[in-house]
Amino acid sequence: QTQLVESGGGLVQPGGSLRLSCTVSGFTLRYYKVGWFRQAPGKEREGVSCISSGGGTTEYIDDVKGRFTVSRDNAKDTAYLEMSSLKPEDTAVYYCAAQFIRCPGIEAMRGTVWGKGTLVTVSS
């Protein structure tokens, strides 16, 4: 079964940090671009960051530049989103996606495989 699984979400205070992980089953992640997306309560899902298959190209939305870092370990078939200086407005369900990701562009095209998401709550 083709599946992505996010982990690492949770409750964190403003200014804190979290690292999200994205693991895969049913296919080999290392051959594909990976995107990170989020959906805040009452808002549409938005692209946050993406990384090329080899890791040489990354992109971020302006809102997270300098605070979030996307990376991958192809030997472990895992992608990461390191988040620091978190703000309450970063509160959302975070999703990883792969296979048909436009990067640069942080866009998920038809056929993209999605995880079920992990909740990040930034609150004091």
Side-chain angles (χ1 to χ4, degrees):
Q1 182 179 2
T2 301
Q3 188 175 2
L4 292 170
V5 179
E6 304 91 342
S7 62
L11 174 64
V12 63
Q13 292 187 342
S17 300
L18 283 174
R19 187 176 80 159
L20 306 183
S21 298
C22 174
T23 57
V24 60
S25 62
F27 68 101
T28 302
L29 190 65
R30 71 192 68 175
Y31 300 128
Y32 298 99
K33 299 175 183 178
V34 173
W36 285 94
F37 298 78
R38 66 185 179 186
Q39 187 166 20
K43 296 187 177 181
E44 293 187 356
R45 187 163 57 191
E46 65 171 346
V48 175
S49 180
C50 65
I51 185 167
S52 61
S53 59
T57 298
T58 60
E59 186 175 353
Y60 305 88
I61 57 172
D62 288 344
D63 189 42
V64 307
K65 281 181 182 176
R67 301 190 297 122
F68 289 13
T69 302
V70 63
S71 63
R72 64 193 301 158
D73 184 339
N74 283 343
K76 296 182 178 179
D77 245 8
T78 302
Y80 304 97
L81 185 68
E82 192 87 35
M83 307 184 295
S84 62
S85 302
L86 283 162
K87 306 174 183 179
E89 50 264 44
D90 293 317
T91 295
V93 177
Y94 283 73
Y95 302 87
C96 66
Q99 289 201 346
F100 295 96
I101 298 297
R102 181 169 287 142
C103 183
I106 321 178
E107 182 181 355
M109 295 174 285
R110 183 178 297 179
T112 292
V113 178
W114 292 89
K116 293 183 178 180
T118 185
L119 177 63
V120 172
T121 303
V122 185
S123 175
S124 55

